[in-house]
Amino acid sequence: MDESKLNEILAVFGERLEKSSAISDVESLKVDFLGKKGHVTSLFKEMGKVAAADRPAFGEKINKVKEKVESGIKELEKNLSEKALNEKINSSYCDVTLAGKFHAAGRRHPISSVIAEIVETFGRLGFSVSEGPDIETDYINFDALNMFDWHPARDMQDSFYAGANAVLRTHTSGVQIRTMLKSEPPIKIVAPGRVYRLDEVDASHSPVFHQVEGLLVDKNTNFAAFKGIITSFCREFFGADRKVVFRPSYFPFTEPSAEVDVECINCLGRGCGVCKNSGFLEVMGAGMVHPNVLRNGNIDPEIYRGFAFGMGVERIAMLRYAVRDIRDFYVNDLRFLSQF
Amino acid sequence: MKILLSSLKQFVDLSGMDPLKIAADITMGGLKVDAVEYLGKGLESVVSGKIVKIEKHPDAEKLTVCTLDTASEKLTIVCGAKNMAEGDIVPVAKIGAKLPCGLEIKPAELRGVKSHGMLCSEKELGLAKESSGLMILDKTTPPGTPFAEAAGLDDWLLDIDVTAQRGDAMSVLGVARDLCALYSKELKMPAYKLVEDASKKTSDAVKIEIADKKLCPRYMARVIENLKIAPSPAWLSKIIESIGLRTVNNVVDITNYISYMYGHPSHAFDYDKLCSPAVISVRTAKPGEKMEAIDNKEYELSPEMLLICDNSAPRAIAGVMGGKYSEVNENTSKILIEVAVFNPVTVRKTSRKLSLSSESSQRFTRGVDICDGEYIIDAIASLICEVSPGAICYGGILDNGEKEPSLKEIAIEIDKLNEFCGHKSSEAEFTAILKRLNFKIKTEGAGKLLLTAPSYRHDIFDSCDIYEEFLRIYGYNNIAGVEISLPYSKPVESTFGAVAKITDFFANSGFYQCMNYSFIGKEDIKKEKFDSFDEKYLVKILNPLGAEFSIMRPSMLSGLLKTMQYNINQKAETVKIFEIGNIYRLAEIKQQPEKHTPVVACGGIDHKIIETQCVAGLVCGALEQGYWNARKDALDFYYLKGVVEALFASFKTPVEFRPLNNKNNMHPKKTAALYLENGECAGYIGVLHPAAAANYDMDLSKEVIVFEIDTQILVANLNKPFKVREISKFPQSVYDLAVMISKDVTYSAIEKACRKAGGKNLKSVAAFDEYIGDKIASDKKSVAVTLTFQSDEGTLSDVETKKSFEAVIAEIKLSLAGELRS
């Protein structure tokens, strides 16, 4: 037994390796060289013929041959499987520019989204949601809010009636009274809801629309705090750099009353069609709660003060999304809704 | 309310001030100026010019060549008009003018003659819709005068939205008072010189009787004779028309002018039409009384209405409108002028009841000044004498009633004011502002004051009203907002959190949220084929916008169906929509209702209104759309049921679906009622009855699947506490079972049988197939279910699970007559 035999085996293996191109060749190489009757295996069988003293050195040589064969096969196997994978990958097809498979996307209604956003913003200030019925008594909707029967302000809010004393609420302000009657100060609530006005329907008037009302009642609140909180909300909601202006106005249930104007979100105050060139948009009515209203809510105005605010959700959504016709919110055209 | 800047300037010195700034300041003082308009807009480059020469155009018969003197220059202008003569003063639009009619004036050459401007007609200047020929100006107009000035158009019109409580601001004077307070300026009251004929006494010519001083606290009259009723002079008609009124005649226009200037309406009666001797009686209407008003309509008067009458009949509805019979017209020569104060509530009620609102009623309902009567009536009389030369005013005012208002003193403490404002102001600052607003101030000690509002303010009752007065003049925006930390307050219970979760669930499940009106029409109820909606329990609107909006919806379906129909007409292939909102019905009141419950009388019985919040949804059309390889199989009952099941699962609320075959508007074979563990029904789901679907243009091949669920149970189960179930470490054994069974046996019965017999280790039962068709008997179905066995305590042996499986088969055979399918 000499080394030439070993070299011969390696040479033959080398040739076979060259010619191998399929994964099936790997198996036959394993059988022919490492199998029970394989060339390398048979070398071990010949160990007995080698003089005892030479066996360790010879054994080492055979092991080296075996290692070479094994690593050669492993290498081959790796190369071939890589090649096969590459071929498979390269022959596959996908047009990544073709539209994605259908994902059944739905949407919140924009009005519901705007309400959620307002509620969330006030929620962070600790305001919780309070609700009231759509159909109210005259007392809750008007009288308790300092709007007596003869009050000229009642003319501004022509109302639908379901009974002599069952009015479709003209604003969410009645929730102020209901909340005060059932809870103790400090009170911090927002009240989103549907309201109804007997208006002719046009691009800016809908007989059904939504408001979010807010109320804070506490011992220590005051006009400056009212301004601070409302300004924070407006900046957070309409943009951090927006100017916020408080303009004296009138609501029977607040005194002093204010309209809150925010720098126009369309032109950033330069003046445009949206803000009628004023640079500002009226976004909410607000004010310090009138002492009579606190009294009607069983709260002593000598001890507590409060402020309240209310905003029209459709108006804010129209400004924000450049919706020109309020009726679009109630047509429910899926092509409209899908844009939100 | 529209007012002219020139009128304001009669009361307050505003010289040199920018009109836009004035408007902005008025707004920030609390009277919102909605619009500011320059009356001479587009007339900036138009001046008066004297025609010094008119020559024929050398090359055109219809044109002339005019030479104009505009003081600063001489212009040659080619003109096509014929109505002018040398020496006339005409409006000349110079090069660069952009006229109200849209015309822009450029240098031009007309048939070889250069023209440096244009001579204008009234139409071109935007002063008339039609006009023929040039506008010829007054001969005394100096050449070179800006046209806007010459035509009285160098003025600004302010449109002010006066809030409901500010009766005092319904006039130029009222706005001027605010400006004086804002600017610390002095108010100038125009002086009127009235010449009376002392030989004639008003008190001889008329008597006044007031039945109820509460309804008419003050009534003043004057008499003027020898009048010539004529069109108003230019200055007057210009003002009347600028502010949006119609000019009538010199007398009526003066009463309107004074009302515009001072906010106190007045009325002129034709004296000779009043019964002689003239006795004015201010009384409420007698039953059945009628009156034709100056708007030519006859009004039926009711006993709460206040009237101005003579001995025979009503001659005016107090504070609302005068009567036709005694109206001042071209034949009138003697008038009685009324300046009165009427009760605002009475005027408002009358005006509402008659649906008759006038400039006068709008002012009386907000309250007029009780103290200005003499000034007003003298101003009217003197101006009438001025516009009708030769008129003779009787001596003296007939004045009946109160002259002083009853005014309340309001106590103010500066410390409290500062606490309220969150801002430190000194007593001096405060009193300075309130004095400018004409409040009377008495000092009661350091920082303590007693204030009385001026007689024209009807909106000051309480210290908070005075705080507002101070703040609006001091400037809301001069009080810095502060960020304070808010106290903890207990959250109020609401449905909002649960509703938000439901909304997000459906939106994320591919549904579009809709919003429909809360009211529907009778037709909608018919179309939906509602069952069990007893007409008498519907909540009806007494004064609806129309029949189609007259019933508060008793179900959410109508809106969803209309939405579906609309979108299918717009070629939507798939409609998956939902809406959350209230439905309404009446319920008889059996016990004393809670306080503040709206009550509706119906059929002689008191009812309360039940508002129930619902979530409802609808699907129809293709499973998928808008995708190049979309699955076009139709959305069906099982699809929507899967969504609803997932909704309840997300609220950890077990729900059972039981067949429901008696709902009128629903398919009797494809509808289920939803039952909760406590046996309560929470809603329904199913296929809309094809007959109802047909009413929304759906053909029989297309199914509309809907559900409607009361949100109450979901609200109660938001944040329902729960603990996790431990996951078994041991292997599970899975068995499939196919049974042939009567079609009438529900899957839920099969599942119950499995669970009953399967023992404690049966972890789950799930259907994976159902077959109905030609291969089996027509009254049978084949149902395949997977049973999964697993123990939490150890590995189950085959023998054990096999035994349980066989027990299930036996149970199905025994109780449901189901056969194992080979």
Side-chain angles (χ1 to χ4, degrees), chain B residues 245-256:
Chain B
L245 300 180
R246 195 171 47 89
T247 129
V248 182
N249 57 45
N250 48 3
V251 168
V252 173
D253 287 356
I254 287 294
T255 60
N256 287 336

Side-chain angles (χ1 to χ4, degrees), chain B residues 745-779:
Chain B
V745 176
T746 62
Y747 169 75
S748 115
I750 297 172
E751 186 178 323
K752 274 182 190 153
C754 293
R755 290 202 182 276
K756 184 180 169 198
K760 68 174 167 62
N761 293 326
L762 177 60
K763 280 282 133 89
S764 79
V765 182
F768 67 90
D769 194 25
E770 186 191 51
Y771 177 77
I772 294 164
D774 302 340
K775 290 176 195 157
I776 55 175
S778 66
D779 59 342

Side-chain angles (χ1 to χ4, degrees), chain B residues 354-365:
Chain B
L354 297 175
S355 295
L356 179 60
S357 172
S358 62
E359 289 276 323
S360 165
S361 71
Q362 284 170 27
R363 291 190 164 93
F364 278 116
T365 51

Side-chain angles (χ1 to χ4, degrees), chain B residues 395-635:
Chain B
I397 302 169
L398 198 62
D399 189 353
N400 207 330
E402 311 286 329
K403 292 172 186 62
E404 289 297 322
S406 53
L407 293 169
K408 196 180 125 188
E409 285 187 323
I410 298 166
I412 292 292
E413 290 177 37
I414 298 299
D415 286 350
K416 280 193 178 168
L417 168 82
N418 286 338
E419 216 177 274
F420 181 90
C421 296
H423 180 89
K424 207 144 181 64
S425 307
S426 69
E427 187 175 333
E429 272 177 306
F430 173 79
T431 50
I433 284 178
L434 273 291
K435 269 183 193 151
R436 264 143 64 188
L437 288 166
N438 298 327
F439 278 73
K440 281 192 195 110
I441 303 173
K442 273 198 271 176
T443 308
E444 291 281 295
K448 289 189 177 178
L449 306 163
L450 277 179
L451 278 85
T452 312
S455 62
Y456 50 82
R457 292 300 295 265
H458 306 287
D459 57 331
I460 309 293
F461 305 98
D462 196 309
S463 54
C464 65
D465 298 313
I466 293 185
Y467 298 163
E468 182 178 74
E469 287 303 299
F470 170 70
L471 284 171
R472 76 183 178 89
I473 301 299
Y474 187 81
Y476 279 12
N477 297 305
N478 292 327
I479 306 277
V482 295
E483 278 167 28
I484 54 158
S485 61
L486 298 175
Y488 173 78
S489 44
K490 267 192 204 157
V492 181
E493 268 180 39
S494 83
T495 67
F496 193 80
V499 167
K501 184 169 166 175
I502 298 168
T503 309
D504 286 336
F505 173 85
F506 281 105
N508 293 336
S509 304
F511 286 67
Y512 287 100
Q513 187 181 16
C514 297
M515 291 212 175
N516 286 290
Y517 289 169
S518 314
F519 22 71
I520 60 174
K522 232 180 192 164
E523 276 306 303
D524 295 312
I525 292 188
K526 268 193 215 152
K527 271 172 100 175
E528 269 175 72
K529 296 179 95 33
F530 276 144
D531 57 337
S532 70
F533 276 115
D534 197 333
E535 173 91 20
K536 70 177 182 186
Y537 293 119
L538 293 175
V539 178
K540 291 177 188 147
I541 297 171
L542 305 178
N543 55 337
L545 275 182
E548 71 274 34
F549 302 130
S550 59
I551 297 166
M552 295 303 282
R553 60 187 174 195
S555 134
M556 304 287 286
L557 282 195
S558 164
L560 289 177
L561 286 165
K562 273 192 250 181
T563 301
M564 171 198 77
Q565 186 180 22
Y566 171 85
N567 282 290
I568 286 179
N569 284 341
Q570 304 301 317
K571 307 286 178 243
E573 286 178 52
T574 298
V575 176
K576 295 203 299 190
I577 50 178
F578 74 106
E579 181 167 1
I580 301 176
N582 287 350
I583 59 172
Y584 311 80
R585 67 184 165 84
L586 294 176
E588 283 172 24
I589 295 179
K590 302 228 165 79
Q591 296 156 331
Q592 177 70 21
E594 262 181 65
K595 217 178 167 190
H596 307 310
T597 302
V599 173
V600 176
C602 184
I605 304 164
D606 278 351
H607 291 71
K608 60 182 173 181
I609 297 163
I610 311 281
E611 296 184 17
T612 311
Q613 193 182 51
C614 281
V615 53
L618 176 154
V619 298
C620 77
L623 185 63
E624 298 175 352
Q625 66 148 359
Y627 152 59
W628 49 282
N629 197 15
R631 287 178 58 193
K632 294 291 179 191
D633 31 335
L635 287 159

Side-chain angles (χ1 to χ4, degrees), chain A residues 24-162:
Chain A
S24 56
D25 295 335
V26 174
E27 272 315 297
S28 59
L29 275 176
K30 278 184 184 168
V31 171
D32 292 352
F33 287 86
L34 302 171
K36 276 181 186 166
K37 288 174 183 168
H39 300 303
V40 178
T41 319
S42 54
L43 283 177
F44 285 105
K45 286 176 186 161
E46 286 177 30
M47 280 282 270
K49 294 175 191 167
V50 180
D54 295 336
R55 274 181 204 162
F58 189 68
E60 204 177 307
K61 280 177 186 160
I62 300 175
N63 271 333
K64 275 198 178 140
V65 170
K66 193 189 172 194
E67 272 167 29
K68 275 189 183 164
V69 169
E70 276 175 345
S71 69
I73 290 174
K74 210 173 173 183
E75 177 87 20
L76 175 68
E77 199 174 6
K78 193 182 149 217
N79 289 343
L80 286 178
S81 61
E82 256 174 33
K83 194 178 146 206
L85 181 62
N86 283 337
E87 272 169 16
K88 191 176 152 70
I89 287 171
N90 288 329
S91 66
S92 56
Y93 172 82
C94 172
D95 181 351
V96 298
T97 66
L98 199 52
K101 286 213 178 186
F102 184 70
H103 173 68
R107 292 286 191 280
R108 257 179 182 266
H109 193 282
I111 296 305
S112 135
S113 302
V114 170
I115 289 175
E117 209 181 313
I118 296 169
V119 167
E120 195 209 313
T121 309
F122 279 106
R124 268 182 282 113
L125 295 165
F127 285 67
S128 63
V129 171
S130 187
E131 291 160 321
D134 285 5
I135 304 177
E136 270 293 6
T137 60
D138 266 350
Y139 177 77
I140 296 279
N141 192 67
F142 294 120
D143 301 46
L145 292 163
N146 219 15
M147 295 166 82
F148 303 101
D149 191 28
W150 50 267
H151 203 289
R154 277 202 185 187
D155 281 342
M156 304 188 296
Q157 298 185 358
D158 272 339
S159 25
F160 293 110
Y161 278 86

Side-chain angles (χ1 to χ4, degrees), chain B residues 102 129 152 161 170 202 206 288 302 317 493 495 521 533 610 623 628 640 656 659 678 769:
Chain B
K129 283 204 175 113
D161 182 13
M170 292 286 284
T202 312
V206 64
S302 50
I317 304 166
E493 268 180 39
T495 67
F533 276 115
I610 311 281
L623 185 63
W628 49 282
L640 193 59
E656 194 192 328
N678 63 5
D769 194 25

